[in-house]
Amino acid sequence: MPIENVDTDQIIPARFLKATERKGFGDNLFRDWRYNADDTPKQDFVLNNPIYSGKILVGGKNFGSGSSREHAAWAIYDYGFRCVVSSFFADIFKNNSLNIGILPVTVSAGFLDKIFTAIEADPNTELEVNLPEQKITILATGESESFDINSYKKHNLTNGFDDIDYLQAMKSDIQSFAAKSLY
Amino acid sequence: MSKIPTTLFDKVWDSHVVRKIEDGPDVFFIDRHFIHEVTSPVAFLGLENRGLKVMFPEKTFATADHNTPTINQHLPVQDPLSANQLKALETNSAKYGISHWGLGNPKNGIVHVVGPENGITLPGMTIVCGDSHTSTHGAFGAIAFGIGTSEVEMVLSSQCIMQPKPKKMRINVNGKLGKGVMPKDVVLYIISQLTAAGATGYFVEFAGEVFRNMSMEGRMTVCNMSIEMGARGGMIAPDETTFDYIKGRDKAPKGEAWDKALAYWKTLKTDEGAQFDIEYNYNAADIEPMITYGTNPGMGMGITKHIPVAAETGGSKASYEKSLQYMGFHEEEEMLGKKVDYVFIGSCTNGRIEDFRAFASIVKGRKKADHVTAWIVPGSHIVEQQIKEEGILDILTEAGFQLRQPGCSACLAMNDDKIPAGKYAVSTSNRNFEGRQGPGSRTMLASPLVAAAAAVTGVVTDPRVLLAD
Ligand code: SF4
């Protein structure tokens, strides 16, 4: 999806945020880009093209900008993606993704171009994302680049452990901190 | 030994770090947490699934705003899904002992309007909410930003979130603003210069003469939109204007507590010589009333200018063209004179009393253009009350406008206030994304003065020609 500034209103439009449970958001992922007003699929949209498949979503620069809705990450996850690649992510989207088990991979602008060129040449191009080695590879050409992730988050993602577990384990520290707080 | 000069941001951030994790985020303590009906239900479900309690219910405040109707609020909410979310907010708040301002409560309104107006928002605080425009509260010298639902669950269960410390940016605007130039124009101008992603990874301090001379309402408008340049948030050092605004408000400190707080608040400023990672300087005289022509808030320009050609904007040509095509606009066209179908004044960006005063200053003695549908939506019941007391309602009615009831309304169009496909709206809200105000809607962001000028002329109009000298 070589589009820049993909905002979370496109990923999941506001009218689909009315659920009180985290279920079924994948159906409405990119709703207005994927479907016409009469709910028929738009043939030219990438997710409607059976040639493309997989668990890695590649997007243009400034992916996930705008609203803080975690529903955007839920929709991407629920649709079946586990990794999003872009040359630049909006902060909140990146946090939200990590918090629910999607890996945001930031690559250089040059490498992103290479990925898009490879996909354009062959829609079946495979990408490999290796979290332990922090490396992303275009399998057809063997070109690769390493990516950053802090060791705390990496540990969480690898062990299925999350921030809430971590915070629960340090509650007495938080209690004494709160006792000194001005507010 | 002299102290190292420190920024306002560092002072507030560092005093809220409970623990630093090596090569990881900070465990960051949250003083105030706002919740609303859309992003909280799943967080409460999460608590339940893990068998956790709310650690400090008195630090969280709930209000219903995103999904609420703006007419007939006394009747049951029609949309069953919206009604369900409102009910969930009410039930969860009651269950965990959280203060809740639901529909019909005299304190109800948009979360970022009611927080400050009730003295919940104070200088030096850390404030979060599951809504990206939480940055609004930075106007008080607080660190305030939007969070996702997983983080809402963290704050409820432990009053902390995990945050990597952002980098620091300072934006200085000096000089005097010209006639008809509002805080909204200042921030739209800055975003047009920096682009919609220009401040990603940064926390911004707004400084300089223009912000010092600005009212609290104006400062809130500016900080509100800092997220639209990608920033984590924006803040302005508190000063006498801030203290005057807070004093006497419902939940503001009183008596001895006030004196103590005030002494602390006065220390909240960036020391001379403190270092920022990056700094920008702008001149107030370069700013004119602004309007956006594209589908992200960085695509803004002076209202008398022509739409730039793709090459001047620096971004991808294809994305730029897609955006103009969606809007039905062309490169090098003028915006002045373009037909307007809808006008929306409201939202947490421009739904405060000053915004309605500005709107009324142009509308007074004129009539609404026949073909324009106008939605005039106060940010809260308190604002609604002020509109009535100050005689603004009479001016509006006289000119053929109708006042609606408070809520987010057409800012995100989750309720019935949707701009129809293909129609053009001049909106005082914060986002002009594709479909933001309803599927297929076309949004031009602008100040309340530009909105008023469009509402009475029916086309994009420079408000300066309608303003009395
Ligand atoms: S008015 Fe708009 S931006 Fe503000 S809180 Fe409501 S939906 Fe969010």
Side-chain angles (χ1 to χ4, degrees):
Chain A
M1 190 180 295
I3 304 169
E4 293 184 356
N5 299 313
V6 172
D7 61 76
T8 53
D9 272 83
Q10 308 316 318
I11 299 175
I12 182 103
R15 59 187 192 281
F16 301 113
L17 307 183
K18 297 193 181 200
T20 50
E21 288 174 76
R22 197 189 131 177
K23 267 202 220 135
F25 287 102
D27 293 344
N28 295 316
L29 175 66
F30 291 111
R31 181 80 203 190
D32 295 337
W33 284 355
R34 231 166 108 197
Y35 296 99
N36 295 305
D38 60 1
D39 287 340
T40 53
K42 293 188 182 175
Q43 293 311 335
D44 56 349
F45 186 61
V46 36
L47 293 188
N48 293 327
N49 188 341
I51 259 187
Y52 302 105
S53 65
K55 292 187 165 183
I56 304 176
L57 175 63
V58 187
K61 189 175 105 186
N62 198 25
F63 192 90
S65 60
S67 155
S68 60
R69 59 188 69 155
E70 194 168 298
H71 310 68
W74 297 341
I76 289 174
Y77 189 96
D78 192 44
Y79 187 87
F81 293 112
R82 292 297 176 268
C83 174
V84 186
V85 179
S86 173
S87 59
F88 197 92
F89 288 99
D91 285 335
I92 303 184
F93 178 79
K94 194 169 169 181
N95 264 339
N96 287 343
S97 297
L98 283 166
N99 283 340
I100 68 154
I102 295 174
L103 177 64
V105 172
T106 310
V107 296
S108 66
F111 196 74
L112 187 67
D113 278 345
K114 280 187 191 158
I115 299 177
F116 281 134
T117 315
I119 296 175
E120 216 168 282
D122 174 12
N124 290 314
T125 296
E126 285 189 301
L127 288 179
E128 183 188 84
V129 174
N130 183 325
L131 177 59
E133 287 178 24
Q134 299 181 216
K135 207 166 105 180
I136 172 165
T137 311
I138 307 172
L139 289 182
T141 62
E143 288 167 293
S144 70
E145 194 172 85
S146 58
F147 61 87
D148 268 352
I149 176 169
N150 69 52
S151 54
Y152 167 82
K153 281 290 179 194
K154 185 171 168 181
H155 179 255
N156 276 0
L157 279 178
T158 332
N159 296 289
F161 189 74
D162 72 12
D163 290 347
I164 296 179
D165 301 324
Y166 187 98
L167 290 167
Q168 285 304 312
M170 59 175 288
K171 263 204 152 157
S172 62
D173 283 11
I174 299 174
Q175 279 289 1
S176 40
F177 189 94
K180 289 179 294 180
S181 145
L182 180 64
Y183 302 109
Chain B
M1 211 178 78
S2 67
K3 264 185 50 203
I4 304 169
T6 315
T7 65
L8 164 64
F9 172 74
D10 284 317
K11 288 178 187 178
V12 180
W13 183 281
D14 294 346
S15 64
H16 287 83
V17 175
V18 183
R19 180 187 291 174
K20 277 194 166 321
I21 301 174
E22 205 179 318
D23 194 22
D26 290 347
V27 178
F28 193 62
F29 189 80
I30 301 303
D31 293 316
R32 287 289 178 272
H33 180 209
F34 294 105
I35 57 174
H36 58 82
E37 73 277 23
V38 176
T39 54
S40 68
V42 173
F44 282 109
L45 264 190
L47 281 191
E48 228 152 81
N49 291 341
R50 296 184 194 232
L52 298 174
K53 291 205 172 51
V54 176
M55 193 174 185
F56 295 106
E58 70 280 9
K59 294 187 195 287
T60 293
F61 295 81
T63 182
D65 56 3
H66 279 60
N67 232 334
T68 53
T70 54
I71 43 170
N72 294 328
Q73 289 188 349
H74 60 288
L75 299 177
V77 174
Q78 291 297 316
D79 175 2
L81 293 173
S82 303
N84 201 11
Q85 285 193 326
L86 294 170
K87 187 80 202 137
L89 185 69
E90 187 181 340
T91 323
N92 287 325
S93 299
K95 177 169 169 194
Y96 293 101
I98 293 166
S99 133
H100 171 244
W101 295 337
L103 215 50
N105 186 305
K107 298 271 194 194
N108 175 259
I110 305 174
V111 53
H112 311 310
V113 177
V114 302
E117 126 193 303
N118 288 288
I120 300 172
T121 301
L122 300 173
M125 279 184 166
T126 53
I127 302 174
V128 293
C129 170
D131 179 283
S132 51
H133 294 93
T134 308
S135 57
T136 311
H137 307 264
F140 291 79
I143 290 182
F145 53 86
I147 56 175
T149 299
S150 297
E151 291 166 312
V152 172
E153 189 180 335
M154 290 177 214
V155 182
L156 290 170
S157 58
S158 68
Q159 207 58 39
C160 287
I161 51 173
M162 308 296 240
Q163 284 296 300
K165 190 176 181 180
K167 290 183 282 186
K168 288 165 289 189
M169 175 186 291
R170 181 158 63 184
I171 297 175
N172 307 294
V173 187
N174 283 299
K176 297 257 182 296
L177 292 175
K179 177 177 132 183
V181 179
M182 299 191 71
K184 180 66 163 286
D185 301 310
V186 174
V187 71
L188 282 175
Y189 175 82
I190 295 172
I191 302 168
S192 76
Q193 299 293 308
L194 285 177
T195 78
T200 303
Y202 290 89
F203 207 97
V204 177
E205 179 178 345
F206 296 98
E209 193 185 345
V210 163
F211 304 109
R212 274 199 303 278
N213 293 335
M214 210 177 257
S215 67
M216 286 318 292
E217 283 84 354
R219 293 178 191 184
M220 285 189 250
T221 302
V222 170
C223 290
N224 173 279
M225 289 203 60
S226 43
I227 177 76
E228 304 308 336
M229 45 184 151
R232 206 69 181 90
M235 68 200 303
I236 295 175
D239 58 12
E240 290 305 321
T241 307
T242 322
F243 311 144
D244 287 348
Y245 178 97
I246 298 170
K247 196 160 191 184
R249 295 203 179 248
D250 197 19
K251 300 212 184 298
K254 312 255 153 52
E256 235 175 87
W258 171 263
D259 297 336
K260 190 174 156 215
L262 190 63
Y264 168 60
W265 296 346
K266 287 187 173 168
T267 68
L268 294 174
K269 49 175 164 263
T270 293
D271 303 328
E272 190 125 359
Q275 289 298 312
F276 288 83
D277 296 289
I278 194 163
E279 203 151 356
Y280 293 97
N281 293 293
Y282 299 109
N283 191 343
D286 295 339
I287 308 175
E288 61 167 343
M290 298 284 294
I291 191 152
T292 65
Y293 55 86
T295 55
N296 74 60
M299 299 174 82
M301 62 180 212
I303 196 160
T304 61
K305 303 241 161 51
H306 294 243
I307 296 176
V309 294
E312 291 166 13
T313 63
S316 116
K317 191 161 190 280
S319 301
Y320 187 78
E321 279 167 0
K322 177 173 180 292
S323 177
L324 285 193
Q325 197 182 7
Y326 180 87
M327 292 300 292
F329 294 158
H330 301 102
E331 293 172 325
E332 294 185 277
E333 260 183 336
E334 235 186 354
M335 288 293 285
L336 285 177
K338 284 200 177 295
K339 187 170 172 236
V340 174
D341 307 298
Y342 283 75
V343 168
F344 170 57
I345 168 162
S347 87
C348 60
T349 312
N350 284 120
R352 300 183 184 78
I353 187 60
E354 275 196 0
D355 303 313
F356 297 95
R357 285 184 196 138
F359 190 86
S361 72
I362 284 200
V363 157
K364 190 172 182 177
R366 296 192 168 92
K367 290 272 180 236
K368 180 181 84 62
D370 284 338
H371 70 270
V372 169
T373 305
W375 289 330
I376 303 185
V377 186
S380 70
H381 279 300
I382 295 183
V383 174
E384 183 185 23
Q385 215 37 51
Q386 284 171 301
I387 290 175
K388 290 179 181 163
E389 282 162 12
E390 294 188 10
I392 294 173
L393 179 58
D394 299 333
I395 297 173
L396 295 175
T397 317
E398 185 90 346
F401 294 96
Q402 191 199 345
L403 184 66
R404 298 174 83 93
Q405 290 171 304
C408 294
S409 179
C411 174
L412 88 166
M414 265 188 92
N415 65 358
D416 291 336
D417 306 344
K418 291 182 176 56
I419 314 286
K423 295 290 180 195
Y424 289 96
V426 170
S427 175
T428 67
S429 56
N430 40 57
R431 287 188 173 140
N432 49 354
F433 298 151
E434 286 184 28
R436 169 78 177 185
Q437 298 194 285
S441 61
R442 293 158 157 173
T443 302
M444 296 171 269
L445 299 175
S447 77
L449 285 177
V450 173
V456 295
T457 62
V459 294
V460 174
T461 302
D462 186 339
R464 289 171 295 193
V465 303
L466 301 180
L467 281 174
D469 283 313

